[in-house]
Amino acid sequence: MALCASLTAFAQEPAEGDKTVYDFVPHFYLQGQFGAQYTLGEVSFGKLISPNAQLGLGYQFSPVVGLRLSANAWQSKGGWDLSANNTTYKWKYKYVAPQLDLTLNLSNLICGFNPNRVFNLSLLLGGGANIAWDNDEAKDADAAIRNVTKTTNYDGQNLQYLWDGTKVRAFGHAALGADFRLSDRVSLGLEVGANVLSDHYNSKKASNPDWYFNGLAGVKINLGKTYNKRVIPAPEPRVVEKVVEKVVEKPVAAKAEEIRRDVYFKINKTNVDASEDEKVKEVAEYLKNNPDASVDITGYADAGTGNAKINARLAKERAEAVSAELQNKYGISASRIRTDSKGDKEQPYSENDRNRVVIAVAK
């Protein structure tokens, strides 16, 4: 259920427009927790519950991986139900357990980094040293048990691993932590952990490791920035220009001010295609009907293909081809024709392929 919650608790982002991006920033954090401990034993569950507290300093290296140094402390308990007199003997002792844990943010691992996520689930793995002392109640319980049995062979009914003074024992630790975000700096958390150490911890011989479990609730405070926010602007919409030619038929008697025809060429070609010949013919007819008119012919090449040198040649030869057809096919005098070429330095159209063109303007 926790994993499902982490999958759905994302900050909202518009489907269109600017995009918000969060860049993780490594940071320290402080964590204070309070709760209860259960020390595994052979008496009823409620008799082995004791108070527990933990203080930690952590560093988050990446959205997923971090380290936490903490000290878990307060009290552990032991107990024995003695069948000889139907009596339960209990004892408690103090401890402090410094430990180092590797932390893995499972929500960021599965769903990606999102500093605005309300819920984060983490796995903690590590270990440390349990430093225990003040085991006097266990000594009193052992003396009472020995007095009840009144035998030199206690048949396992005494505390065979009874210890005194201060004892340091290594332990392993695993936990799950759930953090609920209140702000960029503060979150509330729950943590449930298991700790395993040697059979000597609770003074009883059980021929298997001793365990204690912690249930903690507390607050986590981030020190410094945890992320940087940046906005990637939406790309500007591409505007494509479209040229629409409108041919207006005028009576022959009317004087035409000017005429423009765009003669298109195939890629890498300089000859006038048959499909474009009608445009050249219309320019020739205009010149014949207007003896004082002349024509400017400008050749172009598309910048999307070839190179500047090749395109300069193509543009020049295309302009010359239209000029030659006006002279040779339609009898227009060369004195009425002016030719020019722009190569690919100028592009009259936004669509690349339409720039393989000769523009003829007669007036």
Side-chain angles (χ1 to χ4, degrees):
M1 291 176 63
L3 284 173
C4 290
S6 69
L7 284 168
T8 57
F10 283 99
Q12 295 298 314
E13 212 172 70
E16 296 180 357
D18 296 348
K19 182 179 180 181
T20 302
V21 177
Y22 299 100
D23 297 318
F24 173 82
V25 175
H27 59 276
F28 285 96
Y29 63 86
L30 284 175
Q31 194 170 28
Q33 298 163 295
F34 179 81
Q37 181 193 106
Y38 167 65
T39 313
L40 187 64
E42 290 75 17
V43 299
S44 62
F45 177 84
K47 294 176 181 178
L48 297 179
I49 299 293
S50 55
N52 193 236
Q54 184 165 281
L55 183 64
L57 172 66
Y59 187 78
Q60 199 68 31
F61 294 95
S62 73
V64 175
V65 179
L67 284 178
R68 186 185 71 179
L69 179 64
S70 62
N72 182 273
W74 205 321
Q75 193 179 93
S76 288
K77 287 186 176 181
W80 197 308
D81 285 329
L82 187 64
S83 58
N85 62 351
N86 294 321
T87 301
T88 298
Y89 295 88
K90 298 181 295 180
W91 58 93
K92 59 182 180 291
Y93 44 99
K94 299 181 180 66
Y95 79 94
V96 60
Q99 62 193 57
L100 182 65
D101 289 310
L102 174 70
T103 65
L104 300 173
N105 188 312
L106 301 180
S107 298
N108 284 339
L109 177 64
I110 296 171
C111 306
F113 175 63
N114 180 4
N116 297 314
R117 185 179 294 118
V118 175
F119 174 85
N120 281 282
L121 181 69
S122 296
L123 174 66
L124 299 90
L125 297 171
N130 184 292
I131 306 168
W133 70 94
D134 195 11
N135 199 33
D136 293 340
E137 289 187 10
K139 290 190 290 184
D140 295 340
D142 181 62
I145 292 170
R146 288 174 181 268
N147 184 56
V148 170
T149 55
K150 297 184 185 299
T151 176
T152 55
N153 181 10
Y154 293 97
D155 193 27
Q157 295 295 306
N158 63 316
L159 304 187
Q160 296 183 46
Y161 287 154
L162 181 65
W163 52 272
D164 193 10
T166 299
K167 298 295 181 182
V168 180
R169 301 178 179 88
F171 70 96
H173 175 253
L176 282 176
D179 290 318
F180 298 86
R181 178 183 180 274
L182 298 182
S183 69
D184 286 345
R185 290 189 177 272
V186 181
S187 60
L188 298 179
L190 300 174
E191 184 175 321
V192 178
N195 305 271
V196 59
L197 60 174
S198 76
D199 189 22
H200 293 249
Y201 185 60
N202 64 1
S203 300
K204 295 173 61 177
K205 181 179 180 180
S207 300
N208 53 257
D210 287 338
W211 292 79
Y212 62 87
F213 303 90
N214 307 108
L216 301 163
V219 63
K220 177 180 176 182
I221 302 174
N222 294 318
L223 305 179
K225 294 182 66 174
T226 61
Y227 67 93
N228 289 319
K229 179 180 177 180
R230 55 190 174 93
V231 176
I232 300 177
E236 293 293 334
R238 182 182 176 188
V239 179
V240 179
E241 297 181 1
K242 293 185 178 180
V243 177
V244 179
E245 295 183 0
K246 183 177 182 180
V247 180
V248 179
E249 295 183 359
K250 296 183 179 181
V252 176
K255 182 180 179 181
E257 293 298 328
E258 116 179 0
I259 183 173
R260 167 178 165 164
R261 292 294 180 264
D262 293 1
V263 181
Y264 295 103
F265 290 77
K266 294 181 179 178
I267 187 169
N268 204 33
K269 299 296 184 182
T270 59
N271 60 297
V272 179
D273 192 82
S275 61
E276 299 294 299
D277 187 61
E278 182 65 23
K279 297 177 182 178
V280 181
K281 180 181 178 181
E282 291 172 355
V283 173
E285 289 177 351
Y286 176 92
L287 293 172
K288 290 178 180 179
N289 293 331
N290 298 276
D292 296 331
S294 61
V295 62
D296 290 301
I297 298 173
T298 307
Y300 298 88
D302 69 287
T305 56
N307 55 48
K309 183 177 180 180
I310 293 174
N311 289 337
R313 176 181 59 81
L314 288 173
K316 182 175 181 296
E317 292 181 2
R318 286 166 179 168
E320 291 173 348
V322 173
S323 174
E325 186 161 320
L326 285 172
Q327 295 176 60
N328 302 330
K329 190 172 182 177
Y330 299 106
I332 303 299
S333 171
S335 62
R336 302 176 67 189
I337 302 172
R338 293 183 294 272
T339 61
D340 190 12
S341 65
K342 303 297 184 182
D344 58 12
K345 293 180 181 179
E346 294 183 15
Q347 301 286 277
Y349 291 102
S350 61
E351 298 177 38
N352 182 70
D353 292 354
R354 298 192 70 183
N355 293 307
R356 306 174 194 132
V357 67
V358 165
I359 298 179
V361 179
K363 57 184 178 178

